[in-house]
Amino acid sequence: MKTYLTEFFEEFSYPEEACSALTQAYDRITANPLSRSGFEALLRCYANDKNMDYGQAFHKMAEISGEVGIHNYTGELLLLICFSRTLRGYYEEAGIDQQIWHTSMCDLKYKLDECKCVYDIWGTFVCWWFTGFFDMTRFGFLKLQFEIQPFGYRYEKKGIVLTPESPVLNTHIPRTGTKLDPESVRKSYELGVAFFRERFQVDPVAFVCHSWLLYPRNKEVLSPDSNLYAFISGYDILKVEEDKDYSEVWRLFDVNYEGDVEKLPQDTSLRRGYAEWIRKGEKTGCAYGVHIM
């Protein structure tokens, strides 16, 4: 497994410091007979059943991490990376393109970077989020990620009629650190349509998204010619929710907001615009929308 970790870190371009932290965590776990036994039991559990009890597994991993003196965020990410080896085999058995596995597993690094930014820890603070990838219900395509869910509304556009029970593709926008350009977004949608139509018989295909990015008033901060403005404009908004505070702005600023706007990084035009928005006491929020290609 240690050889696999090295290969994985190289394939996904993990920072040297992160490689060191995760490798040291693995060494601590495997050096202790009791913790090693518990860790290997979790790996076997996933190898036997991809629909395992993930909540119980993450709880056990947190216990193992505490036993050997590593942060549970680090231990949980390490576990997921080790799971990725078995997941690759599940993809092969299912006849799913390995590029989809690679794109999906990129999310481990996205969350690694996020955890380092927000908490200064190499790991992940949202281990529960990855269940969809590892039980093979969520898949990554270029810049976006999709999974099937019921629509929840009645809607009609371009000859497509959706009922509350209609299966739609729930869209996630990972923190890739790259631009969400319209061409890449279009290609991501196309890849998702082809995959879910063939493998899961989802037809017609409609996309939904529930995100802070879709909050309609974001357009007041964004430039009309920006990539995010174009992304928001592609969705018909069905529901808007306003936040009671600014606790969710960490998703943009990569730090937790503690009441002082000046402590928020303002190194991009979007961050500067949002910081000014907060200074004015304006509302932030999220929205649920539907996109038909």
Side-chain angles (χ1 to χ4, degrees):
M1 182 60 75
K2 196 167 182 179
T3 299
Y4 175 76
L5 290 175
T6 301
E7 294 171 348
F8 185 93
F9 297 151
E10 182 176 351
E11 179 175 356
F12 292 91
S13 302
Y14 275 47
E16 184 177 342
E17 186 180 334
C19 297
S20 178
L22 290 162
T23 301
Q24 288 177 24
Y26 179 81
D27 288 343
R28 284 194 182 190
I29 291 169
T30 54
N32 181 308
L34 185 61
S35 60
R36 180 185 184 120
S37 176
F39 186 73
E40 291 178 343
L42 291 176
L43 299 184
R44 287 194 300 273
C45 187
Y46 180 63
N48 291 330
D49 182 10
K50 68 177 182 296
N51 296 306
M52 62 184 286
D53 186 333
Y54 288 93
Q56 185 179 63
F58 295 139
H59 178 73
K60 178 61 178 177
M61 191 63 225
E63 289 183 346
I64 292 172
S65 299
E67 290 168 0
V68 298
I70 62 175
H71 200 285
N72 64 292
Y73 292 168
T74 304
E76 287 156 359
L77 181 66
L78 176 65
L79 177 67
L80 290 165
I81 292 173
C82 291
F83 278 177
S84 74
R85 183 183 187 183
T86 300
L87 179 63
R88 176 174 262 168
Y90 282 140
Y91 267 60
E92 291 176 354
E93 291 173 6
I96 299 176
D97 192 327
Q98 287 295 303
Q99 182 56 51
I100 300 175
W101 174 88
H102 180 93
T103 304
S104 299
M105 291 300 93
C106 282
D107 208 63
L108 292 167
K109 184 172 184 294
Y110 301 151
K111 294 297 189 290
L112 168 85
D113 293 338
E114 188 176 80
C115 189
K116 181 61 176 176
C117 287
V118 178
Y119 292 107
D120 196 27
I121 297 169
W122 293 114
T124 179
F125 59 95
V126 289
C127 58
W128 50 268
W129 158 253
F130 290 98
T131 299
F133 290 113
F134 286 91
D135 67 9
M136 295 175 65
T137 55
R138 184 188 305 125
F139 303 89
F141 300 90
L142 200 58
K143 293 294 184 71
L144 301 175
Q145 302 159 353
F146 307 113
E147 63 195 348
I148 301 172
Q149 71 173 36
F151 181 50
Y153 292 83
R154 294 189 181 278
Y155 177 87
E156 183 174 351
K157 188 174 184 179
K158 296 183 179 180
I160 293 177
V161 178
L162 300 176
T163 68
E165 297 76 26
S166 295
V168 291
L169 298 190
N170 190 26
T171 303
H172 301 286
I173 310 100
R175 180 191 178 282
T176 63
T178 59
K179 293 182 178 180
L180 196 66
D181 62 283
E183 179 59 24
S184 294
V185 170
R186 181 190 62 78
K187 184 62 174 177
S188 299
Y189 286 139
E190 290 178 350
L191 291 170
V193 167
F195 178 82
F196 282 91
R197 182 174 283 159
E198 177 185 353
R199 186 162 290 272
F200 295 99
Q201 290 75 56
V202 177
D203 194 18
V205 178
F207 298 90
V208 298
C209 185
H210 185 216
S211 172
W212 71 272
L213 285 175
L214 292 190
Y215 184 60
R217 294 195 68 192
N218 285 344
K219 288 187 172 182
E220 299 176 38
V221 179
L222 296 167
S223 168
D225 61 356
S226 71
N227 292 328
L228 288 180
Y229 195 102
F231 183 83
I232 297 170
S233 300
Y235 281 79
D236 290 338
I237 304 302
L238 303 180
K239 181 180 180 181
V240 176
E241 302 163 296
E242 291 189 336
D243 294 332
K244 296 180 180 179
D245 53 31
Y246 298 116
S247 59
E248 294 298 307
V249 299
W250 66 266
R251 298 180 185 278
L252 170 62
F253 292 101
D254 287 330
V255 296
N256 287 317
Y257 179 63
E258 299 177 345
D260 186 349
V261 179
E262 305 313 318
K263 290 185 178 180
L264 296 174
Q266 297 174 44
D267 53 335
T268 68
S269 59
L270 180 57
R271 283 177 168 178
R272 288 191 292 272
Y274 243 83
E276 184 59 28
W277 194 253
I278 295 171
R279 287 190 191 95
K280 294 177 180 178
E282 298 285 0
K283 294 288 187 179
T284 58
C286 62
Y288 179 81
V290 57
H291 170 75
I292 304 292
M293 289 187 68

